[in-house]
Amino acid sequence: MKNIITYGTFDLLHPGHINILKNAKDLGDYLIVGLSTDEFNDLKGKKSFYTFDQRRQILESIKYVDKVIPECDWEQKIEDIITYNIDTFVMGSDWVGKFDDLDKWCNVKYFNRTPGISTTIIKKKIKDTVK
Ligand code: C2G
């Protein structure tokens, strides 16, 4: 049983999020998502449209996702990797190199970001449409 973990805000879910979740799940059998809490988003300087509970409800409905845990801070990853017996830690390529130190505890894999889509682009397109 290979457990995989990834982290993120996953606001305004889009195909880029689905691609990373699918790619992560394809590396193993069980995918855990560390979902940024609203408070941690404040720390990250992100304001999500959906609340943590709404984002969790959406993520939990995705067939690739087996478990959602709260991501409360930058420091919890090692503890999560140990707690959940993680085989591979996955992030998109915008994070490449940032989490290489986790390779003492598990495999670290960065997948290419899906080009041309992001929550920021979606928000801007909606804003421009409404005008
Ligand atoms: N992503 C992607 N392609 C996109 C957009 C996002 O592959 N077009 C990936 C990101 O690289 C990330 C995941 O989707 O791995 C979630 O993206 P965000 O919700 O923006 O997550 P982020 O704010 O980067 O939080 O501790 C890690 C942080 O919580 C990551």
Side-chain angles (χ1 to χ4, degrees):
M1 178 86 164
K2 279 189 182 178
N3 298 329
I4 314 296
I5 197 164
T6 188
Y7 294 82
T9 298
F10 293 98
D11 191 31
L12 298 181
L13 202 75
H14 57 67
H17 294 138
I18 299 300
N19 288 339
I20 189 102
L21 293 171
K22 180 184 186 318
N23 287 336
K25 183 60 174 284
D26 286 348
L27 291 177
D29 309 285
Y30 190 85
L31 175 61
I32 299 169
V33 179
L35 183 62
S36 308
T37 60
D38 297 328
E39 296 75 17
F40 184 48
N41 271 338
D42 291 344
L43 273 180
K44 292 200 295 187
K46 277 192 154 185
K47 179 89 186 80
S48 61
F49 179 82
Y50 287 127
T51 65
F52 173 79
D53 285 339
Q54 291 170 323
R55 290 180 285 119
R56 179 176 53 188
Q57 181 186 4
I58 292 166
L59 273 190
E60 286 177 344
S61 69
I62 297 169
K63 64 181 178 182
Y64 306 121
V65 176
D66 296 291
K67 184 178 182 64
V68 178
I69 61 171
E71 180 188 31
C72 306
D73 55 50
W74 293 109
E75 293 74 34
Q76 71 182 76
K77 293 182 176 68
I78 295 171
E79 187 182 342
D80 291 343
I81 287 166
I82 295 165
T83 304
Y84 296 103
N85 185 30
I86 298 298
D87 179 82
T88 305
F89 165 89
V90 168
M91 285 307 289
S93 53
D94 46 319
W95 291 93
V96 71
K98 299 287 190 310
F99 299 111
D100 292 357
D101 60 321
L102 296 177
D103 65 2
K104 298 181 195 64
W105 288 274
C106 66
N107 299 314
V108 175
K109 174 78 179 162
Y110 301 99
F111 283 103
N112 289 335
R113 268 178 77 91
T114 303
I117 188 144
S118 71
T119 304
T120 307
I121 292 172
I122 293 168
K123 284 179 176 176
K124 186 177 181 317
K125 281 187 175 176
I126 291 170
K127 201 171 169 188
D128 293 350
T129 313
V130 165
K131 270 182 191 158

